Amino acid sequence: EVQLVESGGGVVRPGGSLRLSCAASGFTFDDFGMSWVRQAPGKGLEWVASINWNGRSTAYADSVKGRFTISRDKAKNFLDLQMNGLRTEDTALYYCAREYQYDSSGYFGPLGNWGQGTLVTVSS
Amino acid sequence: ENVLTQSPGTQSLSPGERATLSCRASQRVISSYLAWYQQKPGQAPRLLIYGASRRATGIPDRFTGSGSGTDFTLTISRLEPEDFAVYYCLQSGTSLTFGGGTRVEFK
């Protein structure tokens, strides 16, 4: 069974940093692209960042580009999101998600499995 | 950025009725990398449709996706009580974008 468990959320002041992690199990981690998606309280889904299966290709939403860094550790089956320069508008529930299927096209595929999320609150 | 616009924002329907949800992209979606998700309160999103028209594993056949290019539709043929939720479209490819969502609520 695919399991994605996020951790690392918490309360941080504007301008601060936080590192989120996602522990992946139940599948071959190296075969799938991974993403972070966030949802502000009472709002819709917002894509944050994606990394392809081998870690050589990444993409970021304009709202986080230059502040957030997505990475993966294939030895530990972990997906990470380093968040620097946090703003109040970054407050959200952050989900880790896996591509639905292995995709060799070079494109990022649809997201098929999701964790339950970790809450990040940016407040003074 | 490929902007996805979903309409209507809210659809008020009764169980047994048909729901038709629209997702329009500002640019052509690559090779139908268009997916639909259902989200209920307090839960993570659930993949319903990928590749514009393919049902994900375990999704009932009352959910149908159609469309290509920039115009896509999710149809729920006969609403069941558990279908009342928020629905999002997602385009992927070189980057990802979600639509703003359509809420299907009880009339």
Side-chain angles (χ1 to χ4, degrees), chain A residues 94-117:
Chain A
Y94 284 72
Y95 291 104
C96 162
R98 193 205 82 173
E99 279 182 338
Y100 180 58
Q101 294 175 326
Y102 171 70
D103 189 329
S104 61
S105 69
Y107 294 126
F108 294 109
L111 308 175
N113 298 86
W114 299 65
Q116 286 306 302

Side-chain angles (χ1 to χ4, degrees), chain B residues 12-88:
Chain B
S12 300
L13 295 165
S14 300
E17 289 192 303
R18 180 187 194 91
T20 304
L21 286 62
S22 172
C23 175
R24 178 162 291 176
S26 62
Q27 303 168 39
R28 189 181 66 86
V29 177
I30 298 173
S31 301
S32 294
Y33 273 63
L34 192 287
W36 289 93
Y37 295 83
Q38 177 192 70
Q39 189 180 34
K40 297 179 181 179
Q43 296 184 17
R46 173 193 180 200
L47 177 65
L48 302 174
I49 301 288
Y50 68 100
S53 60
R54 301 175 185 176
R55 277 183 217 94
T57 303
I59 301 304
D61 60 8
R62 63 180 182 272
F63 292 93
T64 301
S66 61
S68 64
T70 60
D71 288 299
F72 299 88
T73 301
L74 175 69
T75 303
I76 312 171
S77 58
R78 294 169 310 279
L79 282 165
E80 297 287 342
E82 62 267 28
D83 299 336
F84 291 86
V86 180
Y87 293 83
Y88 296 94

Side-chain angles (χ1 to χ4, degrees), chain A residues 10-123:
Chain A
V11 181
V12 62
R13 298 207 186 276
S17 298
L18 214 52
R19 188 175 185 89
L20 306 184
S21 290
C22 171
S25 61
F27 64 100
T28 303
F29 187 62
D30 293 352
D31 282 351
F32 294 88
M34 302 289 295
S35 295
W36 288 97
V37 175
R38 68 186 181 184
Q39 189 167 34
K43 302 297 184 183
L45 300 171
E46 180 188 14
W47 169 70
V48 173
S50 295
I51 187 166
N52 77 330
W53 61 276
N54 63 11
R56 292 178 186 168
S57 177
T58 59
Y60 297 90
D62 288 344
S63 58
V64 307
K65 202 172 291 184
R67 300 188 298 125
F68 290 11
T69 303
I70 189 172
S71 61
R72 61 192 299 158
D73 183 334
K74 70 180 215 176
K76 297 180 181 176
N77 285 5
F78 266 76
L79 175 74
D80 291 326
L81 185 69
Q82 177 65 42
M83 304 187 296
N84 299 329
L86 282 161
R87 305 167 180 167
T88 55
E89 56 264 36
D90 296 319
T91 294
L93 184 66
Y94 284 72
Y95 291 104
C96 162
R98 193 205 82 173
E99 279 182 338
Y100 180 58
Q101 294 175 326
Y102 171 70
D103 189 329
S104 61
S105 69
Y107 294 126
F108 294 109
L111 308 175
N113 298 86
W114 299 65
Q116 286 306 302
T118 186
L119 184 62
V120 172
T121 303
V122 185
S123 173

